[in-house]
Amino acid sequence: MKIKDLYLEIVGELVKRADAERAKLDKYYHKTAGHKSYGIKTAELEELIKKHRNTFKQLSLQEKLDLSRMFFESGFSEQSTFGIVVLAQGAKEMKPSDFDFLDELANCLNNWGTTDGFSLYVIQPLLMAYPNETLDLLEKWNKSDNLWKRRASVVVFTRKVGMSGKFTDEALVLCDNLIWDKEDMVRKGVGWALKDCMRGDREKVLNYVKWLRQKGVSAVITLYAIRDLKGKERKEILDIKP
């Protein structure tokens, strides 16, 4: 099956399951330019993805890249989810020579869900495989005018990457560049990254968060960063004033 035909087949299946009322609700939670949704329930979307997963595995890397571009350029969150699945399957085949493509594709990010999925399932594996080249890409995104690229530049350091403690210093540098960011979604990304990096390098990140409290950085960042803390330890952080 040609890639374009496969794409149109999947889009047709998505359109059949569209729910206008749920789409309106989804729009309420994603008040960002360019974001679109069919309003499909998560379980239905997962069922569709499962149906096509084996087909995606059989595609060449170039076919995966071409198909993912079609999904991302649509602007629909459900299509972007398909794009992430396709890219994630090709992540082990990608090399730094594909990073220009990923940089271009990241211009299509238009909501926090797609951004986070892209960061976790596509960029994280590449960070582990090609740390220097991936960090160069993240540094570029960190300075971007695109708020979703800035969010992605730090969200990459959440979950298993943050907990590994392998990239704490790099994560703190990139987070520090965004502590005064005007976008709420970027600040929340910074807080999330700090929370998970604290699990991998507790003392270093905890001291950094204390410094942020002293600087008077947005509570959006520091409160998210200390979500794991409880009792006396949490109170000590909250008691720190600028």
Side-chain angles (χ1 to χ4, degrees):
M1 180 183 293
K2 293 182 179 180
I3 294 302
K4 183 66 173 180
D5 292 337
L6 176 58
Y7 171 74
L8 292 175
E9 176 185 326
I10 293 171
V11 171
E13 292 173 331
L14 290 171
V15 171
K16 287 180 182 178
R17 291 165 173 77
D19 184 323
E21 290 302 315
R22 288 183 63 86
K24 287 182 181 179
L25 183 63
D26 190 49
K27 185 67 175 177
Y28 175 81
Y29 288 108
H30 295 88
K31 299 175 181 178
T32 52
H35 175 262
K36 294 182 286 185
S37 169
Y38 295 108
I40 299 174
K41 294 180 180 178
T42 301
E44 287 187 89
L45 186 60
E46 290 176 347
E47 180 184 344
L48 269 180
I49 290 171
K50 183 178 180 180
K51 174 183 175 182
H52 292 282
R53 193 178 293 274
N54 286 334
T55 301
F56 297 154
K57 288 181 180 179
Q58 297 170 19
L59 300 177
S60 68
L61 176 59
Q62 188 58 56
E63 288 174 327
K64 290 172 183 172
L65 300 182
D66 292 343
L67 181 58
S68 67
R69 183 195 296 275
M70 295 178 194
F71 285 132
F72 271 86
E73 289 183 344
S74 73
F76 281 92
S77 60
E78 293 91 346
Q79 286 200 44
S80 294
T81 298
F82 265 95
I84 291 168
V85 171
V86 174
L87 284 177
Q89 290 192 353
K92 290 183 179 180
E93 304 170 68
M94 290 186 203
K95 292 180 172 55
S97 56
D98 297 305
F99 284 12
D100 285 344
F101 169 83
L102 294 175
D103 184 37
E104 181 182 349
L105 202 65
N107 291 324
C108 298
L109 298 173
N110 60 22
N111 67 86
W112 60 265
T114 300
T115 300
D116 296 353
F118 183 68
S119 303
L120 295 170
Y121 303 117
V122 180
I123 306 301
Q124 273 195 356
L126 292 170
L127 176 62
M128 301 304 290
Y130 304 102
N132 293 333
E133 294 86 349
T134 305
L135 287 169
D136 286 343
L137 179 64
L138 295 177
E139 288 175 8
K140 178 180 179 180
W141 289 357
N142 194 247
K143 302 171 184 176
S144 174
D145 291 335
N146 184 318
L147 77 93
W148 302 115
K149 282 187 172 181
R150 297 200 304 279
R151 180 180 171 95
S153 75
V154 290
V155 169
V156 170
F157 298 98
T158 62
R159 296 189 183 176
K160 61 183 180 182
V161 168
M163 290 185 280
S164 74
K166 293 180 179 179
F167 297 96
T168 304
D169 290 339
E170 293 84 353
L172 289 181
V173 169
L174 294 178
C175 285
D176 196 64
N177 292 338
L178 300 177
I179 57 175
W180 304 110
D181 201 283
K182 296 180 180 180
E183 295 290 345
D184 185 62
M185 282 298 163
V186 175
R187 296 196 298 268
K188 287 180 177 177
V190 171
W192 183 15
L194 293 175
K195 176 180 73 68
D196 287 3
C197 284
M198 195 181 298
R199 295 175 178 178
D201 198 336
R202 186 178 181 84
E203 184 176 357
K204 180 177 290 186
V205 180
L206 190 57
N207 287 334
Y208 176 69
V209 173
K210 290 178 180 178
W211 179 78
L212 292 181
R213 294 286 295 182
Q214 294 170 349
K215 292 278 288 184
V217 167
S218 170
V220 169
I221 294 175
T222 57
L223 291 180
Y224 206 122
I226 63 171
R227 280 189 173 187
D228 288 345
L229 303 185
K230 297 179 181 180
K232 182 180 178 181
E233 190 173 39
R234 179 181 176 85
K235 184 177 184 304
E236 287 178 353
I237 299 294
L238 294 176
D239 286 342
I240 297 175
K241 306 299 180 184

